[in-house]
Amino acid sequence: MLSAPKGYPTGTTMNTMGMNTMSSMGGMNHATYTGTGPVNPGAYSASAYSGTMNGMGSGYPAAGGMGGLQSYPAGSVNAMGTMQTMNNMALNRNAIAEREKAYRRSYTHAKPPYSYISLITMSIQSSPNKMVTLAEIYQFIMDLFPYYRQNQQRWQNSIRHSLSFNDCFVKVPRTPDRPGKGSYWTLHPEAGNMFENGCYLRRQKRFKCEKKLAMKMAQQQAARDTPNPGTENTAVAPTTTPEAASTPTTTTNGASTLQPLQPINTPSPNPQEQQQHQHHQHQQQHQQQPPVQTTQPQDMQQHAQQHQGLPARPIPQQSSLPMSMGGYFSPEHLRAAHGFTHPFSISNLMSQEHKPDLKEYAAMGYSGYNSMSPTGVPKTTMSMDSMGTDYYQGYVPQHSQPSSL
DNA sequence: AAGTGTTTACTAGACG
DNA sequence: CGTCTAGTAAACACTT
């Protein structure tokens, strides 16, 4: 729980700062993406973000350094070598100093009222492909909330713990053509309405993957039945049952990993699961604000496929992967599965309806800083207003950012 | 070596 | 008050 740190506003204050008032980052994040062609096939890091987002007239902050804050992992930084980045890097140091001053006298060191789960989810939702690496999650959070530029070891450990511990996060293995450290993380397709009450402090109910639970129970049962310690390995090969083979696999703790390569049109062998899925859809429809995009049968099928744990492709790219993988986890697929409009979608968290606020915030001296942020978080689409500027290291409209590079 | 991922244990606050 | 969720610490294994 988000225990309020000293001097921290509590209770309703925190709640009202919640992001449930935001409405629409999704517009840019999804709709525009579709037409912009493949994302950068390279590392799905800052490069992928900025490449994609820039095409949408926004973009994760180019990497040009964070004014001495946290640097992006080396492997990712090169991606930011755009002209824009260069310009940002060339920002005069006076401006940086100004920002630092403003930074120091701001409230931004207060702990944000969002749980780590919320933050991770935000990070995933705000990425063009709904998948992020751990490093990207770190960077996203630090970019957004200056509070998290301190004590990194502590909260990053918690982030890792949250990822592993919570069923709502699913690990997506890297493909051989995208080497690098760590896997991608995405949201479990059914985890969309964890925060349906609009409160990002505490979920109404923890998301539990029932299948995983069942598997876990079965494993424990098996362990009891066969007291041989050698066979007790619970991190088991998730493919021991046909069903397990088609679901995000589970470790003893419930962490999921999507397994690679499943036939793309495999219908769910489990009718109950499909029913569950439909129920999920049903719920979402009730919760949706004006549906940005109705779920068509095709989408349903895609969703169902992912629901079965079809392998996620970090960044589907035209013909960069074998045909056998080409149809899986396209960005559209992931976006469809991860709640185009569900209440916790980033579109509900971040709105561009508060640009005046952004400007005010920029006037406080944050714009430059932000433009130098390394990860490529879309700047034009996040509302500090609704996130609470006390915590939020704003993203501001990037007037100077070229619409395309 | 550093980063990543998993797991366990403990604590605290929210909630019914 | 019991349960649940969340935050933190720490140990350990694995990967790059």
Side-chain angles (χ1 to χ4, degrees), chain A residues 70-113:
Chain A
Q70 171 79 15
S71 62
Y72 212 77
S76 314
V77 175
N78 64 349
M80 321 164 170
T82 62
M83 289 297 289
Q84 173 64 32
T85 301
M86 306 287 227
N87 290 339
N88 287 338
M89 291 179 78
L91 274 178
N92 64 69
R93 301 193 194 293
N94 287 339
I96 294 172
E98 284 300 312
R99 277 195 302 276
E100 287 298 310
K101 273 188 205 166
Y103 171 75
R104 276 185 218 109
R105 66 173 174 259
S106 72
Y107 305 95
T108 52
H109 287 87
K111 185 171 185 174

Side-chain angles (χ1 to χ4, degrees), chain A residues 348-368:
Chain A
N348 286 336
L349 305 185
M350 302 172 180
S351 163
Q352 27 183 358
E353 291 171 4
H354 305 283
K355 285 187 178 171
D357 299 310
L358 298 183
K359 285 174 185 164
E360 285 171 24
Y361 204 74
M364 289 169 61
Y366 289 101
S367 59

Side-chain angles (χ1 to χ4, degrees), chain A residues 313-337:
Chain A
R313 296 185 53 237
I315 300 181
Q317 203 233 358
Q318 287 166 354
S319 61
S320 80
L321 290 169
M323 276 303 289
S324 60
M325 298 185 71
Y328 309 139
F329 281 69
S330 67
E332 289 72 23
H333 185 171
L334 283 168
R335 280 191 290 272

Side-chain angles (χ1 to χ4, degrees), chain A residues 242-262:
Chain A
E243 185 167 321
S246 65
T247 3
T249 61
T250 314
T251 66
T252 47
N253 195 21
S256 316
T257 304
L258 293 170
Q259 296 300 297
L261 294 178
Q262 287 284 325

Side-chain angles (χ1 to χ4, degrees), chain A residues 36-54:
Chain A
T36 57
V39 263
N40 186 338
Y44 175 75
S45 48
S47 61
Y49 279 125
S50 51
T52 308
M53 310 295 255
N54 279 345

Side-chain angles (χ1 to χ4, degrees), chain A residues 10-42:
Chain A
T10 57
T12 53
T13 307
M14 293 162 86
N15 249 337
T16 53
M17 286 178 179
M19 299 173 285
N20 45 334
T21 57
M22 309 187 183
S23 69
S24 68
M25 171 170 180
M28 108 266 167
N29 202 11
H30 306 304
T32 7
Y33 173 77
T34 312
T36 57
V39 263
N40 186 338

